[in-house]
Amino acid sequence: MARAAGKKQSRRKRAGRSASSARSGRPRAGAKRRAPAKKKSARAAPAAKRAGKRVSTKRAVAPKRRTRSTTRSAVRRPRPAAVPGTRPVAVAVASPPAFAAQRAHASSREELLFEMARARAAVKAAIQGLSVANAARPIARGKWSPLEIVLHLGERDRVRLEEFHRTLHGQPRSWASISDAEQATVNEQHLAPLRALTWDSAVRRMDSLREQLLLRLHEVPALPADVWQRGHTFADMLWALPEHDRHHAGQIKQVRIGEPVLTED
C-alpha cells in the first residue's frame, strides 16, 4: 500500500510540473529543441532561394562590356580599294641636311669654322690607330702614303698662314691660277725635306699647324661679313680646306677597308 501511494504522489508531481510549464510557456528541462531548429532551417531555405534568384536576375540583366577589338573595329575606316595592275608608291620624305639647326642662324664666320672642325675630325678618324708600317705604305701605285698625306695637310695650313695677311686685304693667293701639274711640282717640293719625319712627328706637326691657323682666324672679327663669304680671296682660300681634308680622309679610309683608291691627289 505504501509503495502504491508513493507512485501516485510521484505521478501527481510530474503532472503538476507539466501543467505549470504549459502555463508559463517554458519547455521542460529535459525536452529536446529540435522542432524550432527545423522551423529556422525551413525559413532560411526560402530566403536563400530568393537571394539566389536575385543574383541570377542581376547577372542576366547586366550589360556586356565592349572589348578593345570591337571598339577599334568600329573606329577603323575602310581602306580604299587597290587598283588592279598598280603598285603602292612609297612617298619619300626629304630629310633635312646635316646640322641644319646649327647652320640656320650661324654667321659665315661660324659656318666656316664649323666645317673646318668637321673635316679635320674626319681626318683624325681616318688615321686613328694606324700603325707605323701601314702609314709608310702607299695607298696605291703612284699615290702618296698616309704619312705623306699627313705631311701634305700640314703644309697646306702652313702656306695659308704665310698668305693670311695678303688674302685678308683682297690680294689673290699665290696658287690661284696655276695648273694641276704645276701644283704637283710645288707639293713635291714641300714634301721633300719632310719625308724623314716619323709618323708621330708628322701627326703632331699637322695638329700644331692647324691650331696656329685657328688662332689667327679667331683674331679676325666677324664684320665685315663679306670677308668670310665666298667670292672674297680670304674666304675662298679658307673654304677650300674642308673639302681638301675630306678628300684625303676618304682616301685613307678606302685603303683601310680594302677598297681601291680611284681619286686623284
Side-chain angles (χ1 to χ4, degrees), residues 146 154 196 220 230 237 264:
V220 180
R230 297 179 186 273
M237 179 184 71
E264 297 293 334

Side-chain angles (χ1 to χ4, degrees), residues 223-243:
L223 298 175
D226 60 340
V227 176
W228 300 95
Q229 295 174 358
R230 297 179 186 273
H232 194 278
T233 55
F234 180 74
D236 289 343
M237 179 184 71
L238 296 172
W239 272 107
L241 283 177
E243 187 63 28

Side-chain angles (χ1 to χ4, degrees), residues 16-59:
R17 291 176 183 174
S18 61
S20 61
S21 63
R23 288 177 194 147
S24 60
R26 295 177 182 177
R28 296 172 59 184
K32 297 182 180 180
R33 298 181 182 180
R34 293 181 180 176
K38 290 181 180 179
K39 290 181 179 180
K40 289 182 180 180
S41 61
R43 291 176 183 176
K49 290 180 180 179
R50 291 172 187 173
K53 289 180 179 180
R54 291 174 185 174
V55 173
S56 61
T57 54
K58 289 182 180 179
R59 290 178 181 174

Side-chain angles (χ1 to χ4, degrees), residues 109-122 157 160 210 213-214 217 228 238-239 241-242 245-246:
R109 178 177 180 268
E110 292 171 343
E111 188 175 359
L112 173 61
L113 295 174
F114 179 68
E115 290 299 328
M116 289 177 62
R118 286 185 62 201
R120 184 46 57 99
D157 284 357
R160 281 166 173 80
R210 174 52 61 93
L213 180 59
L214 291 176
L217 289 175
W228 300 95
L238 296 172
W239 272 107
L241 283 177
D245 279 3
R246 293 190 183 97

